[in-house]
Coordinates of all heavy atoms in Angstrom, one line a residue:
A1 N 0.9 -1.2 0.0 CA 0.0 0.0 0.0 C 0.9 1.2 0.0 O 1.7 1.4 0.9 CB -0.9 0.0 1.2
S2 N 0.7 2.1 -1.0 CA 1.5 3.3 -1.0 C 0.7 4.6 -0.8 O 1.3 5.6 -0.7 CB 2.3 3.4 -2.4 OG 1.3 3.4 -3.4
C3 N -0.6 4.4 -0.8 CA -1.4 5.6 -0.5 C -2.6 5.2 0.3 O -2.9 4.0 0.5 CB -1.8 6.3 -1.8 SG -2.9 5.3 -2.8
L4 N -3.4 6.2 0.8 CA -4.5 5.9 1.7 C -5.6 7.0 1.5 O -5.2 8.1 1.1 CB -4.0 6.0 3.1 CG -4.9 5.6 4.3 CD1 -5.3 4.1 4.2 CD2 -4.3 5.9 5.6
R5 N -6.8 6.6 1.6 CA -7.9 7.5 1.4 C -8.8 7.4 2.7 O -9.0 6.4 3.2 CB -8.8 7.1 0.2 CG -10.0 8.1 0.0 CD -11.1 7.5 -0.7 NE -11.7 6.4 -0.1 CZ -12.7 6.5 0.8 NH1 -13.1 7.7 1.3 NH2 -13.2 5.4 1.4
F6 N -9.3 8.6 3.2 CA -10.2 8.6 4.3 C -11.0 9.9 4.2 O -10.7 10.9 3.5 CB -9.4 8.5 5.6 CG -8.3 9.5 5.8 CD1 -8.5 10.8 6.4 CD2 -7.0 9.2 5.4 CE1 -7.5 11.7 6.5 CE2 -6.0 10.1 5.6 CZ -6.2 11.3 6.1
D7 N -12.1 9.9 5.0 CA -13.0 11.1 5.0 C -12.8 11.8 6.3 O -12.6 11.2 7.4 CB -14.5 10.6 5.0 CG -14.8 9.9 3.6 OD1 -14.0 10.0 2.7 OD2 -15.9 9.3 3.6
V8 N -12.8 13.2 6.3 CA -12.6 14.0 7.4 C -13.6 15.2 7.4 O -14.2 15.5 6.4 CB -11.2 14.6 7.5 CG1 -10.2 13.4 7.7 CG2 -10.8 15.3 6.2
D9 N -13.7 15.8 8.5 CA -14.6 17.0 8.6 C -13.8 18.3 8.2 O -14.5 19.3 7.8 CB -15.1 17.2 10.1 CG -16.0 16.1 10.5 OD1 -16.7 15.5 9.7 OD2 -16.0 15.7 11.7
E10 N -12.5 18.3 8.4 CA -11.7 19.5 8.1 C -11.1 19.4 6.7 O -10.5 18.4 6.3 CB -10.6 19.5 9.2 CG -9.6 20.6 9.1 CD -8.5 20.6 10.1 OE1 -8.7 19.9 11.1 OE2 -7.5 21.2 9.9
A11 N -11.1 20.5 6.0 CA -10.4 20.6 4.7 C -8.9 20.7 4.9 O -8.5 21.5 5.6 CB -11.0 21.8 3.9
F12 N -8.2 19.9 4.1 CA -6.8 20.0 4.0 C -6.4 20.6 2.7 O -7.2 20.7 1.8 CB -6.1 18.7 4.2 CG -6.2 18.1 5.6 CD1 -7.2 17.1 5.9 CD2 -5.4 18.6 6.6 CE1 -7.3 16.6 7.1 CE2 -5.6 18.0 7.9 CZ -6.5 17.0 8.2
I13 N -5.2 21.0 2.5 CA -4.7 21.6 1.3 C -3.7 20.6 0.7 O -2.9 20.0 1.4 CB -4.0 23.0 1.5 CG1 -5.0 24.0 2.1 CG2 -3.4 23.5 0.3 CD1 -4.4 25.2 2.6
T14 N -3.8 20.4 -0.6 CA -2.8 19.6 -1.3 C -1.4 20.0 -1.0 O -1.1 21.2 -1.0 CB -3.1 19.6 -2.8 OG1 -4.4 19.2 -3.1 CG2 -2.1 18.7 -3.6
G15 N -0.6 19.1 -0.6 CA 0.8 19.4 -0.2 C 1.0 19.5 1.3 O 2.1 19.5 1.8
D16 N -0.1 19.5 2.1 CA 0.0 19.5 3.5 C 0.7 18.3 4.0 O 0.5 17.2 3.4 CB -1.4 19.6 4.2 CG -2.0 20.9 4.3 OD1 -1.3 21.9 4.0 OD2 -3.2 21.0 4.7
I17 N 1.5 18.4 5.0 CA 2.2 17.2 5.6 C 1.4 16.9 6.9 O 1.2 17.8 7.8 CB 3.7 17.5 5.9 CG1 4.4 18.0 4.7 CG2 4.3 16.3 6.6 CD1 4.4 17.0 3.6
L18 N 1.0 15.6 7.0 CA 0.3 15.2 8.2 C 1.0 14.1 9.0 O 1.7 13.3 8.4 CB -1.1 14.6 7.7 CG -2.0 15.4 6.9 CD1 -3.2 14.6 6.5 CD2 -2.4 16.7 7.5
K19 N 0.9 14.1 10.3 CA 1.4 13.1 11.1 C 0.2 12.2 11.4 O -0.8 12.6 12.0 CB 2.0 13.6 12.4 CG 2.6 12.5 13.3 CD 3.3 13.1 14.5 CE 3.9 12.0 15.3 NZ 4.6 12.6 16.5
I20 N 0.2 11.0 10.9 CA -0.9 10.0 11.1 C -0.7 9.1 12.2 O 0.4 8.5 12.3 CB -1.2 9.2 9.8 CG1 -1.3 10.1 8.6 CG2 -2.3 8.2 9.9 CD1 -2.6 10.9 8.6
R21 N -1.6 8.9 13.1 CA -1.6 7.9 14.2 C -2.8 7.0 13.9 O -3.9 7.4 13.9 CB -1.7 8.6 15.5 CG -0.5 9.4 15.9 CD -0.6 10.0 17.2 NE 0.6 10.8 17.5 CZ 0.6 11.7 18.3 NH1 -0.4 12.0 19.1 NH2 1.7 12.4 18.5
M22 N -2.4 5.7 13.7 CA -3.5 4.8 13.2 C -3.4 3.6 14.1 O -2.4 3.1 14.6 CB -3.1 4.3 11.8 CG -4.0 3.3 11.2 SD -3.5 2.7 9.6 CE -3.5 4.2 8.6
L23 N -4.6 3.0 14.4 CA -4.8 1.8 15.2 C -5.3 0.8 14.2 O -6.3 1.0 13.6 CB -5.8 2.0 16.3 CG -6.1 0.7 17.0 CD1 -5.8 0.9 18.5 CD2 -7.5 0.4 16.8
L24 N -4.6 -0.3 14.1 CA -5.0 -1.5 13.3 C -5.7 -2.5 14.2 O -5.1 -2.9 15.2 CB -3.9 -2.1 12.5 CG -3.2 -1.3 11.4 CD1 -2.1 -2.1 10.8 CD2 -4.2 -0.8 10.4
P25 N -7.0 -2.8 14.0 CA -7.7 -3.7 14.9 C -7.2 -5.2 14.6 O -7.9 -6.0 14.0 CB -9.1 -3.5 14.5 CG -9.1 -3.1 13.1 CD -7.8 -2.3 12.9
T26 N -6.0 -5.5 15.0 CA -5.4 -6.8 14.8 C -5.1 -7.4 16.1 O -5.3 -6.8 17.1 CB -4.1 -6.7 14.0 OG1 -3.2 -5.8 14.7 CG2 -4.3 -6.2 12.6
Y27 N -4.7 -8.6 16.1 CA -4.2 -9.2 17.4 C -2.8 -9.6 17.2 O -2.5 -10.5 16.3 CB -5.1 -10.5 17.8 CG -4.6 -11.0 19.1 CD1 -5.0 -10.4 20.3 CD2 -3.7 -12.1 19.2 CE1 -4.6 -10.9 21.5 CE2 -3.2 -12.5 20.4 CZ -3.7 -12.0 21.5 OH -3.3 -12.4 22.7
P28 N -1.9 -9.1 18.0 CA -2.1 -8.0 18.9 C -2.4 -6.7 18.2 O -2.0 -6.5 17.0 CB -0.8 -8.0 19.7 CG 0.2 -8.5 18.8 CD -0.5 -9.5 17.9
I29 N -3.0 -5.8 18.9 CA -3.3 -4.5 18.3 C -2.1 -3.8 17.9 O -1.0 -3.8 18.6 CB -4.1 -3.6 19.4 CG1 -5.5 -4.2 19.6 CG2 -4.2 -2.2 18.9 CD1 -6.3 -3.5 20.7
S30 N -2.1 -3.1 16.7 CA -1.0 -2.4 16.2 C -1.3 -0.9 16.2 O -2.3 -0.4 15.6 CB -0.7 -2.8 14.8 OG -0.2 -4.1 14.7
F31 N -0.4 -0.1 16.9 CA -0.5 1.3 16.8 C 0.6 1.8 15.9 O 1.8 1.5 16.1 CB -0.3 2.0 18.2 CG -1.4 1.6 19.2 CD1 -1.3 0.6 20.1 CD2 -2.6 2.4 19.2 CE1 -2.4 0.3 20.9 CE2 -3.6 2.1 20.0 CZ -3.5 1.1 20.9
L32 N 0.2 2.6 14.9 CA 1.2 3.0 13.9 C 1.3 4.5 13.9 O 0.2 5.2 14.0 CB 0.8 2.5 12.5 CG 0.5 1.0 12.4 CD1 0.1 0.7 11.0 CD2 1.8 0.2 12.7
T33 N 2.4 5.1 13.7 CA 2.6 6.5 13.5 C 3.5 6.8 12.3 O 4.6 6.1 12.2 CB 3.2 7.2 14.8 OG1 2.4 6.9 15.9 CG2 3.4 8.7 14.6
F34 N 3.1 7.6 11.4 CA 3.9 7.9 10.2 C 3.5 9.3 9.6 O 2.5 9.8 10.0 CB 3.8 6.8 9.2 CG 2.3 6.5 8.7 CD1 1.7 7.2 7.7 CD2 1.6 5.6 9.4 CE1 0.4 7.0 7.3 CE2 0.3 5.3 9.0 CZ -0.3 6.0 8.0
C35 N 4.4 9.8 8.8 CA 4.1 11.1 8.1 C 3.6 10.8 6.7 O 3.9 9.8 6.1 CB 5.4 11.9 8.1 SG 5.9 12.5 9.7
S36 N 2.8 11.8 6.3 CA 2.2 11.6 4.9 C 2.0 13.0 4.3 O 2.0 14.0 5.0 CB 0.9 10.9 5.0 OG 0.0 11.6 5.8
E37 N 1.8 13.0 3.0 CA 1.5 14.2 2.3 C 0.2 14.1 1.6 O -0.2 13.1 1.0 CB 2.6 14.5 1.2 CG 2.4 15.7 0.4 CD 3.5 16.0 -0.6 OE1 4.4 15.2 -0.7 OE2 3.4 17.0 -1.2
V38 N -0.6 15.2 1.7 CA -1.9 15.2 1.1 C -1.8 15.4 -0.4 O -1.1 16.3 -0.9 CB -2.8 16.4 1.7 CG1 -4.1 16.5 0.9 CG2 -3.0 16.2 3.2
N39 N -2.3 14.5 -1.2 CA -2.3 14.5 -2.6 C -3.5 15.1 -3.3 O -3.4 15.8 -4.3 CB -2.1 13.1 -3.2 CG -0.7 12.5 -3.0 OD1 0.2 13.3 -2.8 ND2 -0.6 11.2 -3.0
E40 N -4.6 14.9 -2.7 CA -5.9 15.3 -3.2 C -6.9 15.5 -2.2 O -7.0 14.7 -1.2 CB -6.4 14.3 -4.3 CG -7.6 14.8 -5.1 CD -8.0 13.8 -6.1 OE1 -7.3 12.7 -6.3 OE2 -9.0 14.0 -6.8
V41 N -7.8 16.5 -2.3 CA -8.9 16.7 -1.4 C -10.1 16.9 -2.2 O -10.2 17.7 -3.1 CB -8.7 18.0 -0.5 CG1 -9.9 18.2 0.4 CG2 -7.4 17.9 0.3
V42 N -11.2 16.1 -1.9 CA -12.4 16.1 -2.7 C -13.6 16.4 -1.8 O -13.8 15.7 -0.8 CB -12.7 14.7 -3.4 CG1 -14.0 14.7 -4.2 CG2 -11.5 14.3 -4.3
P43 N -14.3 17.6 -2.0 CA -15.4 17.9 -1.2 C -16.5 16.9 -1.4 O -16.8 16.5 -2.6 CB -15.9 19.3 -1.7 CG -14.7 19.8 -2.5 CD -14.0 18.6 -3.0
L44 N -17.2 16.5 -0.4 CA -18.3 15.5 -0.5 C -19.6 16.2 -0.3 O -19.7 17.4 0.3 CB -18.1 14.4 0.6 CG -16.9 13.6 0.5 CD1 -16.7 12.7 1.7 CD2 -16.9 12.8 -0.8
S45 N -20.7 15.6 -0.7 CA -22.0 16.3 -0.6 C -22.5 16.5 0.8 O -23.4 17.4 1.0 CB -23.1 15.4 -1.4 OG -23.2 14.1 -0.8
D46 N -22.0 15.8 1.8 CA -22.4 16.0 3.2 C -21.6 17.0 3.9 O -21.7 17.2 5.1 CB -22.4 14.6 3.9 CG -21.0 14.0 4.0 OD1 -20.0 14.7 3.6 OD2 -20.8 13.0 4.6
G47 N -20.7 17.8 3.2 CA -19.9 18.8 3.8 C -18.5 18.3 4.3 O -17.7 19.1 4.8
R48 N -18.3 17.0 4.2 CA -17.0 16.4 4.6 C -16.1 16.5 3.4 O -16.4 16.9 2.4 CB -17.2 15.0 5.2 CG -18.1 15.1 6.4 CD -18.3 13.7 7.0 NE -16.9 13.2 7.2 CZ -16.6 12.3 8.1 NH1 -17.5 11.6 8.7 NH2 -15.3 11.9 8.2
Y49 N -14.9 15.9 3.6 CA -13.9 15.9 2.6 C -13.2 14.5 2.5 O -13.0 13.9 3.5 CB -12.8 16.9 2.9 CG -13.3 18.3 3.0 CD1 -13.7 18.8 4.2 CD2 -13.4 19.1 1.9 CE1 -14.2 20.1 4.3 CE2 -13.9 20.4 1.9 CZ -14.3 20.9 3.2 OH -14.8 22.2 3.3
E50 N -13.0 14.1 1.3 CA -12.3 12.8 1.0 C -10.8 13.2 0.8 O -10.6 14.0 -0.1 CB -12.9 12.2 -0.2 CG -12.4 10.8 -0.5 CD -13.3 10.2 -1.6 OE1 -13.1 10.6 -2.8 OE2 -14.0 9.3 -1.3
V51 N -9.9 12.7 1.6 CA -8.5 13.0 1.5 C -7.7 11.8 1.1 O -7.9 10.7 1.6 CB -8.0 13.5 2.9 CG1 -6.6 13.8 2.9 CG2 -8.8 14.7 3.4
Y52 N -6.8 12.1 0.1 CA -5.9 11.1 -0.4 C -4.5 11.5 0.0 O -4.1 12.6 -0.2 CB -6.0 11.0 -1.9 CG -7.3 10.4 -2.4 CD1 -8.4 11.3 -2.6 CD2 -7.4 9.1 -2.8 CE1 -9.6 10.8 -3.0 CE2 -8.7 8.6 -3.2 CZ -9.7 9.5 -3.4 OH -10.9 9.0 -3.8
I53 N -3.8 10.5 0.7 CA -2.5 10.8 1.2 C -1.5 9.8 0.6 O -1.8 8.7 0.3 CB -2.4 10.9 2.7 CG1 -2.7 9.5 3.3 CG2 -3.2 12.0 3.3 CD1 -2.4 9.3 4.7
T54 N -0.2 10.2 0.6 CA 0.9 9.3 0.2 C 1.8 9.3 1.4 O 2.1 10.3 2.1 CB 1.7 9.9 -1.0 OG1 0.8 10.0 -2.1 CG2 2.9 9.0 -1.3
Y55 N 2.3 8.0 1.7 CA 3.2 7.9 2.9 C 4.5 8.5 2.6 O 5.0 8.5 1.5 CB 3.5 6.4 3.1 CG 2.2 5.5 3.3 CD1 2.0 4.4 2.5 CD2 1.3 5.8 4.3 CE1 0.9 3.6 2.7 CE2 0.1 5.1 4.4 CZ -0.1 4.0 3.6 OH -1.2 3.2 3.8
L56 N 5.1 9.1 3.6 CA 6.5 9.7 3.5 C 7.4 8.9 4.4 O 7.2 8.8 5.6 CB 6.5 11.2 3.9 CG 5.6 12.1 3.1 CD1 5.7 13.5 3.7 CD2 6.1 12.1 1.6
G57 N 8.5 8.4 3.8 CA 9.5 7.7 4.6 C 9.0 6.6 5.5 O 9.5 6.4 6.6
L58 N 8.1 5.8 5.0 CA 7.5 4.7 5.7 C 8.5 3.6 5.8 O 9.0 3.1 4.8 CB 6.2 4.2 4.9 CG 5.2 3.4 5.7 CD1 4.6 4.2 6.9 CD2 4.1 2.9 4.8
N59 N 8.7 3.2 7.1 CA 9.7 2.1 7.3 C 9.0 0.7 6.9 O 7.8 0.6 6.9 CB 10.3 2.1 8.7 CG 9.4 1.7 9.7 OD1 8.7 0.7 9.6 ND2 9.4 2.4 10.9
T60 N 9.8 -0.2 6.6 CA 9.4 -1.5 6.1 C 8.4 -2.2 7.1 O 7.4 -2.8 6.7 CB 10.6 -2.5 5.8 OG1 11.4 -1.8 4.9 CG2 10.1 -3.8 5.3
D61 N 8.7 -2.1 8.4 CA 7.8 -2.8 9.4 C 6.4 -2.2 9.4 O 5.4 -2.9 9.3 CB 8.4 -2.6 10.8 CG 7.5 -3.2 11.9 OD1 7.2 -4.4 11.8 OD2 7.1 -2.5 12.8
V62 N 6.3 -0.9 9.3 CA 4.9 -0.2 9.3 C 4.2 -0.6 8.0 O 3.1 -0.9 8.0 CB 5.1 1.3 9.5 CG1 3.7 2.0 9.3 CG2 5.6 1.6 10.9
K63 N 5.0 -0.5 6.9 CA 4.4 -0.8 5.6 C 3.9 -2.2 5.5 O 2.8 -2.5 5.1 CB 5.4 -0.5 4.5 CG 4.8 -0.6 3.1 CD 5.8 -0.2 2.1 CE 5.3 -0.2 0.7 NZ 6.1 0.3 -0.3
D64 N 4.7 -3.2 6.1 CA 4.3 -4.6 6.1 C 3.0 -4.8 6.9 O 2.1 -5.6 6.6 CB 5.4 -5.5 6.6 CG 6.5 -5.6 5.6 OD1 6.4 -5.2 4.4 OD2 7.6 -6.1 6.0
R65 N 2.9 -4.1 8.1 CA 1.7 -4.3 8.9 C 0.5 -3.7 8.2 O -0.6 -4.3 8.3 CB 2.0 -3.6 10.3 CG 2.9 -4.4 11.1 CD 2.8 -4.0 12.6 NE 3.8 -2.9 12.8 CZ 3.8 -2.2 13.9 NH1 3.0 -2.4 14.8 NH2 4.7 -1.2 14.0
I66 N 0.6 -2.6 7.6 CA -0.6 -2.0 6.9 C -1.0 -2.9 5.7 O -2.1 -3.2 5.6 CB -0.2 -0.6 6.3 CG1 -0.1 0.4 7.5 CG2 -1.3 -0.1 5.4 CD1 0.5 1.8 7.1
T67 N 0.0 -3.4 4.9 CA -0.3 -4.2 3.8 C -0.9 -5.5 4.2 O -1.9 -6.0 3.7 CB 1.0 -4.5 3.0 OG1 1.5 -3.2 2.5 CG2 0.7 -5.4 1.8
G68 N -0.4 -6.1 5.3 CA -0.9 -7.4 5.8 C -2.3 -7.2 6.3 O -3.2 -8.1 6.0
Y69 N -2.6 -6.1 7.0 CA -4.0 -5.9 7.4 C -4.9 -5.7 6.3 O -6.0 -6.3 6.2 CB -4.0 -4.6 8.3 CG -5.4 -4.3 8.7 CD1 -6.1 -5.0 9.6 CD2 -6.1 -3.2 8.1 CE1 -7.4 -4.7 10.0 CE2 -7.4 -2.8 8.4 CZ -8.0 -3.6 9.4 OH -9.3 -3.3 9.7
L70 N -4.5 -4.9 5.2 CA -5.4 -4.7 4.1 C -5.7 -6.0 3.3 O -6.8 -6.3 2.9 CB -4.8 -3.7 3.1 CG -4.7 -2.3 3.7 CD1 -4.0 -1.3 2.8 CD2 -6.1 -1.7 4.0
F71 N -4.7 -6.8 3.1 CA -4.9 -8.1 2.5 C -5.8 -9.0 3.3 O -6.7 -9.7 2.7 CB -3.5 -8.8 2.2 CG -2.7 -8.3 1.1 CD1 -1.4 -8.4 1.1 CD2 -3.3 -7.6 0.1 CE1 -0.6 -7.9 0.0 CE2 -2.6 -7.1 -1.0 CZ -1.2 -7.2 -1.0
K72 N -5.7 -9.0 4.6 CA -6.5 -9.8 5.4 C -8.0 -9.4 5.3 O -8.9 -10.2 5.1 CB -6.1 -9.7 6.9 CG -7.0 -10.5 7.8 CD -6.5 -10.3 9.3 CE -7.5 -11.1 10.2 NZ -7.8 -10.4 11.3
R73 N -8.2 -8.1 5.3 CA -9.6 -7.5 5.1 C -10.1 -7.9 3.7 O -11.3 -8.2 3.6 CB -9.6 -6.0 5.3 CG -9.3 -5.5 6.7 CD -10.4 -5.9 7.6 NE -11.7 -5.5 7.1 CZ -12.6 -4.7 7.7 NH1 -12.3 -4.2 8.9 NH2 -13.7 -4.4 7.2
Q74 N -9.3 -7.8 2.7 CA -9.8 -8.2 1.3 C -10.2 -9.6 1.3 O -11.2 -10.0 0.7 CB -8.7 -7.8 0.3 CG -8.5 -6.4 0.1 CD -7.4 -6.0 -0.8 OE1 -6.5 -6.9 -1.1 NE2 -7.4 -4.8 -1.4
R75 N -9.4 -10.5 1.9 CA -9.7 -11.9 1.9 C -11.0 -12.2 2.6 O -11.9 -13.0 2.1 CB -8.6 -12.7 2.5 CG -7.4 -12.9 1.7 CD -6.4 -13.9 2.2 NE -5.9 -13.6 3.6 CZ -4.9 -12.9 3.9 NH1 -4.2 -12.3 3.0 NH2 -4.6 -12.7 5.2
E76 N -11.2 -11.5 3.7 CA -12.5 -11.6 4.5 C -13.7 -11.2 3.6 O -14.7 -11.8 3.6 CB -12.4 -10.9 5.8 CG -11.5 -11.4 6.8 CD -11.3 -10.5 8.0 OE1 -11.8 -9.4 8.0 OE2 -10.5 -10.9 8.9
S77 N -13.5 -10.1 2.9 CA -14.6 -9.5 2.1 C -14.9 -10.5 1.0 O -16.1 -10.7 0.7 CB -14.1 -8.2 1.5 OG -15.1 -7.7 0.7
I78 N -13.9 -11.1 0.3 CA -14.1 -12.0 -0.7 C -14.9 -13.3 -0.2 O -15.8 -13.8 -0.8 CB -12.8 -12.4 -1.4 CG1 -12.3 -11.2 -2.2 CG2 -13.0 -13.6 -2.4 CD1 -10.9 -11.4 -2.7
R79 N -14.4 -13.8 0.9 CA -15.1 -14.9 1.5 C -16.6 -14.6 1.9 O -17.4 -15.5 1.6 CB -14.4 -15.3 2.8 CG -13.3 -16.4 2.6 CD -12.9 -16.9 4.0 NE -12.2 -15.8 4.6 CZ -10.9 -15.8 5.0 NH1 -10.2 -16.9 4.9 NH2 -10.4 -14.8 5.6
N80 N -16.8 -13.5 2.4 CA -18.2 -13.1 2.7 C -19.1 -13.0 1.5 O -20.3 -13.3 1.5 CB -18.2 -11.8 3.5 CG -17.7 -11.9 4.9 OD1 -17.7 -13.1 5.4 ND2 -17.2 -10.9 5.5
E81 N -18.5 -12.5 0.4 CA -19.3 -12.4 -0.9 C -19.6 -13.8 -1.5 O -20.7 -13.9 -2.0 CB -18.5 -11.6 -1.9 CG -18.4 -10.1 -1.6 CD -17.5 -9.4 -2.6 OE1 -17.0 -10.0 -3.6 OE2 -17.2 -8.2 -2.4
K82 N -18.7 -14.7 -1.3 CA -18.9 -16.1 -1.8 C -19.9 -16.9 -1.0 O -20.5 -17.8 -1.5 CB -17.6 -16.8 -1.9 CG -16.7 -16.3 -3.0 CD -15.4 -17.1 -3.1 CE -14.5 -16.6 -4.2 NZ -13.3 -17.4 -4.2
G83 N -20.0 -16.5 0.3 CA -20.6 -17.4 1.1 C -21.6 -17.5 2.0 O -22.2 -18.3 2.4

């Protein structure tokens, strides 16, 4: 995973640098902290904003944990659709 999308109440500006603190609901729980850059901000109809970020200087351990979690969620989603 090299980028991330999420919805927020506050508008950011493209190029803003954010410090992200993320909790992955895994066992054991993973708390991650990393820096990112805002690539795109899209206003939504409900007054919120969709924000696209790119990771900055993400170390291998954090990247592996994020990627592993996303793959696990995708597998669960596919299983639920099939079954």
Side-chain angles (χ1 to χ4, degrees):
S2 61
C3 64
L4 186 67
R5 182 203 62 84
F6 52 90
D7 297 347
V8 295
D9 294 327
E10 178 183 342
F12 292 102
I13 298 170
T14 300
D16 278 351
I17 304 298
L18 306 178
K19 181 176 183 178
I20 304 290
R21 293 182 181 158
M22 178 186 298
L23 174 124
L24 294 180
T26 58
Y27 183 81
I29 292 175
S30 291
F31 293 97
L32 309 175
T33 302
F34 55 89
C35 291
S36 63
E37 181 177 0
V38 175
N39 288 336
E40 184 179 359
V41 180
V42 178
L44 300 172
S45 60
D46 64 1
R48 299 182 57 160
Y49 301 88
E50 190 172 69
V51 176
Y52 294 82
I53 62 169
T54 300
Y55 307 124
L56 297 176
L58 196 63
N59 73 46
T60 303
D61 178 56
V62 173
K63 188 173 185 174
D64 289 347
R65 286 196 273 169
I66 293 170
T67 302
Y69 173 74
L70 293 175
F71 284 155
K72 179 181 178 222
R73 292 294 307 240
Q74 288 173 342
R75 285 192 303 272
E76 290 170 357
S77 178
I78 291 168
R79 268 191 294 240
N80 290 338
E81 288 175 8
K82 289 182 178 180

